[in-house]
Amino acid sequence: HNVYLIALHMQFRPDDRVLTWLPPYHDMGLIGSMLATFCAGVPVSFMAPAAFLRRPERWPSELSKRRCTISGAPNFAYELRVDKVTDEALGTLDLSSWELAYSGAEPVRADTLNRFAERFGPRGFRRGAFYPCYGMAETTLFVTGKRRDEPPRTLSIDSMAYANEARAVAQESTSLNTLVRELVSCGRPATGLDVRIVDPDTALERADGCIGEIWVAGPSVTTGYWERPSGTAEVFGARMRNRADAYLKTGDLGFMHEGELYVSGRLKDLIIIR
């Protein structure tokens, strides 16, 4: 089901060519880069993950040489390319064939998109090629995304209101004197998936623009954790008040705005190293 959703929403084309260095033991590498493209009949070129990490310029270099149209990675990889690709290496690139640059698996940062587009724009990269998306292993991968030909959308919110009321309202900032936080839209829920924003304390659905925990239901949601019945019951058996349907509790915080999902934080305790 999820392989079909990826091919449908990323709108694979007969002349697409994919390049990936993502490891196949990671869900984005296995489901998104390998199985979805194989099932869609799209040719894929594989790089070893270590080859990219040792020399980040290899990723854009191979994209340029092979005239690939689709490639993507978590946000940190785009940051590495901005920081590590030298001016000399930059001058040899032609990224005009790159039509879809997906970004997911960790928070997609507006600053990263802006800096990357500024750095690689002179070499043919279009900011509109960015494809922010949201997914996780428990949903077999893909949950939300945009249309391929749509530019990524961002929303500027009042960062003080966001920090002080993380489960309240994400208010669009209009004052020039307000500290602004820019959030990136991860697109609309994929076909057949039910995405809700729920107050984790009351199990009530939150209104548009209100921050809560992201809950997901649908055929792509897995049946549970391997030999962990208590964890499965807690995470996969969530129910909103006055509703019988079971949902997956993602542990992520976010809100819906004009039908699109904005991931704003993490409900569970989490330490990010580097």
Side-chain angles (χ1 to χ4, degrees):
H1 184 263
N2 206 257
V3 162
Y4 166 74
L5 291 186
I6 293 170
L8 176 68
H9 287 271
M10 291 192 176
Q11 298 169 284
F12 288 159
R13 299 167 182 166
D15 58 347
D16 275 331
R17 294 175 299 282
V18 177
L19 173 69
T20 183
W21 53 265
L22 296 169
Y25 51 80
H26 185 282
D27 52 1
M28 184 186 277
L30 176 64
I31 308 298
S33 299
M34 183 182 291
L35 296 183
T37 49
F38 282 1
C39 291
V42 177
V44 190
S45 299
F46 292 95
M47 288 175 61
F52 162 69
L53 293 173
R54 281 196 295 264
R55 289 178 52 195
E57 71 271 15
R58 284 174 168 162
W59 184 20
S61 177
E62 289 299 322
L63 270 166
S64 178
K65 287 190 293 186
R66 296 171 184 268
R67 307 302 296 156
C68 292
T69 58
I70 299 175
S71 190
N75 191 89
F76 84 89
Y78 293 97
E79 285 282 354
L80 268 181
R81 283 181 54 171
V82 170
D83 295 337
K84 300 296 184 182
V85 176
T86 65
D87 292 340
E88 181 181 2
L90 187 69
T92 65
L93 302 177
D94 177 3
L95 301 179
S96 58
S97 66
W98 197 2
E99 298 180 6
L100 194 155
Y102 55 87
S103 179
E106 63 183 40
V108 182
R109 305 190 183 280
D111 179 63
T112 302
L113 305 190
N114 296 335
R115 292 174 61 226
F116 191 93
E118 181 179 359
R119 176 82 167 138
F120 293 94
R123 308 315 307 168
F125 180 80
R126 297 174 297 101
R127 190 180 187 281
F130 272 122
Y131 191 100
C133 49
Y134 173 72
M136 57 195 306
E138 288 88 343
T139 59
T140 316
L141 190 60
F142 188 81
V143 176
T144 67
K146 66 181 185 69
R147 285 186 55 84
R148 178 164 171 165
D149 55 356
E150 292 176 339
R153 297 181 63 183
T154 61
L155 182 67
S156 297
I157 64 171
D158 185 330
S159 60
M160 292 302 293
Y162 166 80
N164 294 330
E165 302 180 72
R167 294 184 189 171
V169 178
Q171 300 171 336
E172 187 165 1
S173 176
T174 57
S175 171
L176 296 176
N177 298 320
T178 302
L179 290 173
V180 171
R181 174 170 178 173
E182 191 176 17
L183 297 178
V184 179
S185 166
C186 290
R188 298 178 180 274
T191 302
L193 296 186
D194 185 7
V195 179
R196 306 279 178 155
I197 305 300
V198 180
D199 186 319
D201 297 323
T202 65
L204 292 173
E205 186 173 7
R206 309 227 62 184
D208 190 78
C210 294
I211 297 172
E213 186 177 13
I214 303 168
W215 288 17
V216 183
S220 286
V221 177
T222 61
T223 55
Y225 296 122
W226 177 252
E227 297 185 346
R228 288 177 54 193
S230 60
T232 295
E234 178 185 356
V235 175
F236 289 83
R239 285 175 170 79
M240 286 186 288
R241 190 177 295 182
N242 303 323
R243 290 183 66 95
D245 299 335
Y247 286 81
L248 163 73
K249 298 168 64 175
T250 68
D252 292 319
L253 292 171
F255 61 92
M256 300 295 291
H257 178 70
E258 297 181 349
E260 299 192 10
L261 176 67
Y262 290 80
V263 181
S264 59
R266 184 74 175 151
L267 182 64
K268 294 180 179 179
D269 291 333
L270 181 69
I271 297 174
I272 299 177
I273 301 174
R274 296 182 67 184

